[in-house]
Amino acid sequence: MTVDEALTNSLLLFMQKGKGNGMEYVSRSHTAAMGWYYWLHGVAGVYEIELDNLQNEGRQAEFYLRYYPDTEEEVLIDYSVGEQLLRFNENFFNDTAINVENEEHEICPCCSVPEKEGQEKHSHHHEGECHCHEHPHRKVGIPFLAKKFEMNKKMFLIGKVHVRILENDKCEADVITQERLIERSEQGIKLNRDGQEVELVAPGEVDRNVPGNFLCNRFMEFFNNKLLAVLG
């Protein structure tokens, strides 16, 4: 079994058990050979894992782990000025409400019925069980696809996830991050406001101070203890 097969199988098994176990929605991330976006219960923003193509060996792989905060989350202020400006850019981020019926999915993010099986079976499976409109005001909250290809891979990065397949075909993962992900601006950062130059970050001062452990541990609690756990 490869990492791709293990992650896909775990997602299918997890979704077949129904929503309400830590995840509201899931969608493929199409800017790498493997990748997914996760909308978790009780988490305002969106997590993404995206394959590091240089670290993929079939039975083990490394993924970039990103967290895209909601525009109203306090943690957004800990991100760099560049990340904050990008997050508020409506031409870069899709902040419309999720409408499952208008989205394209390999499997329905609500009931796990494959799209290829047709609308008739999909509708029948939903009878009395559909959760598609359970969270009608949840934002998409991720970059538009075309813009994502333009984005520096370091943007919104909070760690790297190492996934490996064991000899018994079980799957385990761990994360590499830091307590605080601190970056300083060598040249400083200035912004032009109403024709006047305003210094946002002085030369040598901290531009980014993201709580890496907190954000990563919150995701790994779901990823390891709930998603991968369905593989046994």
Side-chain angles (χ1 to χ4, degrees), residues 3 48 105 145-146 206-207:
V3 169
E48 178 197 30
H105 304 280
L145 181 58
V206 172
D207 177 37

Side-chain angles (χ1 to χ4, degrees), residues 4-227:
D4 193 3
E5 291 170 336
L7 294 182
T8 301
N9 289 343
S10 67
L11 186 58
L12 287 168
L13 291 171
F14 182 87
M15 295 300 289
Q16 285 169 2
K17 294 184 177 182
K19 295 173 64 174
N21 191 27
M23 183 171 67
E24 293 179 13
Y25 300 104
V26 62
S27 178
R28 277 274 189 176
S29 171
H30 294 288
T31 51
M34 272 190 284
W36 289 266
Y37 292 106
Y38 301 94
W39 288 260
L40 303 185
H41 281 304
V43 177
V46 185
Y47 282 99
E48 178 197 30
I49 61 170
E50 181 187 65
L51 179 68
D52 181 346
N53 292 314
L54 300 178
Q55 302 294 331
N56 179 21
E57 301 177 9
R59 289 180 66 86
Q60 60 177 337
E62 284 193 0
F63 294 82
Y64 299 104
L65 176 59
R66 299 189 183 91
Y67 182 65
Y68 302 104
D70 181 71
T71 53
E72 297 182 6
E73 272 190 274
E74 289 186 9
V75 74
L76 182 56
I77 197 68
D78 295 328
Y79 281 70
S80 70
V81 170
E83 288 168 320
Q84 293 179 51
L85 292 174
L86 204 61
R87 183 62 190 87
F88 282 103
N89 186 339
E90 61 183 15
N91 295 317
F92 202 99
F93 270 81
N94 180 2
D95 277 324
T96 60
I98 292 176
N99 185 339
V100 173
E101 294 177 354
N102 292 338
E103 300 290 338
E104 295 182 3
H105 304 280
E106 294 178 54
I107 61 172
C108 173
C110 171
C111 70
S112 82
V113 170
E115 189 177 77
K116 64 182 180 181
E117 294 191 13
Q119 186 61 35
E120 183 178 349
K121 181 173 181 180
H122 189 206
S123 297
H124 174 73
H125 193 281
H126 270 182
E127 188 174 348
E129 297 292 338
C130 183
H131 298 275
C132 284
H133 304 291
E134 190 175 273
H135 306 278
H137 303 298
R138 177 97 199 214
K139 293 180 182 178
V140 177
I142 61 176
F144 290 106
L145 181 58
K147 296 296 184 181
K148 177 68 185 306
F149 280 105
E150 301 174 5
M151 192 177 80
N152 188 310
K153 290 188 178 295
K154 292 184 178 180
M155 299 291 278
F156 300 96
L157 189 67
I158 59 171
K160 294 196 78 173
V161 176
H162 182 214
V163 181
R164 54 196 168 275
I165 309 300
L166 306 179
E167 291 184 3
N168 57 5
D169 275 347
K170 289 186 178 181
C171 187
E172 67 177 19
D174 52 50
V175 66
I176 300 172
T177 187
Q178 298 176 17
E179 177 68 30
R180 306 291 304 193
L181 299 168
I182 299 174
E183 296 179 13
R184 296 180 181 274
S185 174
E186 293 184 6
Q187 305 297 323
I189 300 173
K190 296 180 180 180
L191 191 65
N192 192 301
R193 289 180 179 172
D194 300 326
Q196 292 191 352
E197 198 173 68
V198 178
E199 184 177 70
L200 301 179
V201 181
E205 285 193 353
V206 172
D207 177 37
R208 191 177 197 259
N209 189 3
V210 172
N213 276 352
F214 170 76
L215 294 176
C216 288
N217 290 343
R218 183 172 62 179
F219 174 76
M220 294 303 290
E221 181 179 352
F222 160 77
F223 192 70
N224 264 332
N225 300 339
K226 295 182 179 179
L227 185 61

